[in-house]
Amino acid sequence: MVGELNYGASIPQEVLLNMQKTILIFQQRFKDGYIGRSLVEQRPGVSATVRKDIVRKIDKTAAQDGVSTARLSLGGTAPDVVGSKAKDVLFPIYRIDNAILMNEAELQLDPTAWNRNVSIAMMECQRRENYTIINGNATFGITGLVGAASANTLGSIVASGGDDTTTINNNGAWDGSETDNVMDPYDDLRAALNFIDPELTGTLFLAGRPAYMNYLLQEDELGKVYTDKIGTRIFGKSVTDLSWMIRSDYFPAGYVYLVMKSMQAAELVIPEDYNIDANYPRQPGQNQYAEIGGWIGIEIHTNNFIVPIAIT
């Protein structure tokens, strides 16, 4: 921007355009930083006016043989009647936002200060979004990925005391404390596959703290890197493709999580992605005020898509 900015009672239009551009640049440059969006499917085509999302869940009549209500016959026999019941589940849409307050004198000296603070606000919003998707929010009753994992009814991988049915002991600690060379993360992940609903279709990921992911880059007793075997056999990736590893320190200590990214399991509903709202009057002290924010809904449809794996 060239020349002196005349703020008057509001933020000049050229400043707003630059702030909007900064938001777009941030989202493109740091798209890998949206950890939650990497693990949960985003529903497309959501109206920008949605603030409450209603999901209709359908339960069908159970099959007598546990397979299907459809009948196999030679004809002439009346088939079973399919039955169902519907339940509407309401998911609120929440706002994540941050505010900027800039003094006009400072802006005259450095007009780019707006853009700097927009980037900082976007970083803070991204952190809040990631943390909420991973850990939920008790105040608003939001179930995150960690809460869903702890409620998985199929099972989990535990450090000790497993019953070999719904809880299975891990094969040694792979948090760096193992001293007996019995660590076998591949076998832990293979066992965890049994605890993901087989009717879910999607893409598998392994999520956890960066330090825990780094232990998978060690060599086993045969001189093979753990990720080579895990990446190809569990996640179907090439040896050099580590995109199945999702790292964030927002995950709890002592665990990693095997996640099936599937719209049937969990969804992110984003009616309005992050944008600038500067529709505010001039503030006392010759200050200008603006908000950076967006609307997001976190919807967990089943808990059996994510498995906690104890690594201690």
Side-chain angles (χ1 to χ4, degrees):
M1 292 177 288
V2 180
E4 187 172 293
L5 293 172
N6 181 18
Y7 279 87
S10 62
I11 300 173
Q13 187 62 33
E14 60 264 38
V15 175
L16 291 177
L17 291 174
N18 270 283
M19 292 165 75
Q20 292 169 342
K21 182 179 179 181
T22 299
I23 292 174
L24 292 175
I25 292 173
F26 179 94
Q27 291 190 303
Q28 292 169 358
R29 182 176 297 171
F30 301 107
K31 62 180 180 179
D32 292 340
Y34 287 96
I35 304 300
R37 301 188 191 193
S38 299
L39 294 170
V40 181
E41 285 284 4
Q42 184 174 332
R43 188 192 303 170
V46 180
S47 171
T49 61
V50 170
R51 294 299 177 264
K52 292 182 180 180
D53 187 44
I54 299 176
V55 175
R56 174 158 292 180
K57 294 188 176 182
I58 306 296
D59 291 330
K60 68 179 183 63
T61 303
Q64 292 184 0
D65 63 356
V67 177
S68 173
T69 57
R71 176 177 293 178
L72 178 67
S73 71
L74 293 173
T77 303
D80 292 337
V81 176
V82 169
S84 66
K85 59 180 180 179
K87 178 182 178 182
D88 289 342
V89 181
L90 177 65
F91 290 97
I93 307 298
Y94 299 95
R95 183 162 177 82
I96 297 177
D97 53 17
N98 209 201
I100 301 172
L101 186 68
M102 301 291 294
N103 184 266
E104 292 173 6
E106 179 185 357
L107 291 169
Q108 292 293 353
L109 294 174
D110 181 13
T112 64
W114 272 119
N115 297 336
R116 180 178 65 245
N117 283 4
V118 167
S119 295
I120 294 172
M122 282 295 296
M123 185 179 298
E124 294 302 310
C125 289
Q126 186 184 68
R127 287 173 175 168
R128 179 60 61 190
E129 178 184 313
N130 286 337
Y131 186 88
T132 305
I133 293 173
I134 292 171
N135 293 288
N137 184 292
T139 301
F140 292 101
I142 301 173
T143 300
L145 296 176
V146 173
S150 64
N152 186 322
T153 59
L154 297 180
S156 61
I157 308 300
V158 297
S160 61
D163 58 18
D164 293 329
T165 54
T166 58
T167 53
I168 297 177
N169 291 338
N170 63 21
N171 287 272
W174 42 292
D175 63 347
S177 64
E178 189 58 61
T179 58
D180 297 328
N181 295 323
V182 296
M183 167 180 158
D184 191 349
Y186 170 78
D187 207 49
D188 291 340
L189 291 170
R190 184 184 59 80
L193 286 172
N194 294 323
F195 299 141
I196 288 183
D197 187 339
E199 293 191 359
L200 295 177
T201 58
T203 306
L204 278 174
F205 290 93
L206 183 67
R209 296 189 172 192
Y212 301 157
M213 299 292 106
N214 289 341
Y215 288 119
L216 297 180
L217 298 172
Q218 298 180 102
E219 293 183 348
D220 61 18
E221 64 275 9
L222 300 177
K224 301 292 185 179
V225 179
Y226 286 112
T227 53
D228 292 355
K229 185 177 181 180
I230 292 172
T232 55
R233 297 188 185 183
I234 301 291
F235 298 96
K237 303 292 185 179
S238 67
V239 171
T240 58
D241 185 356
L242 299 180
S243 61
W244 50 271
M245 300 171 68
I246 304 297
R247 305 169 173 88
S248 174
D249 276 329
Y250 292 151
F251 286 99
Y255 289 88
V256 296
Y257 296 85
L258 185 64
V259 185
M260 172 66 78
K261 183 179 181 179
S262 170
M263 192 164 286
Q264 300 164 286
E267 293 180 287
L268 287 184
V269 177
I270 306 179
E272 184 182 320
D273 216 336
Y274 296 103
N275 207 335
I276 182 76
D277 180 3
N279 190 26
Y280 295 95
R282 189 185 195 205
Q283 303 294 302
Q286 297 184 331
N287 291 314
Q288 294 287 345
Y289 177 86
E291 293 181 358
I292 307 294
W295 293 89
I296 184 169
I298 304 166
E299 305 182 0
I300 305 293
H301 303 312
T302 177
N303 296 317
N304 298 345
F305 73 101
I306 176 169
V307 183
I309 303 171
I311 60 169
T312 57

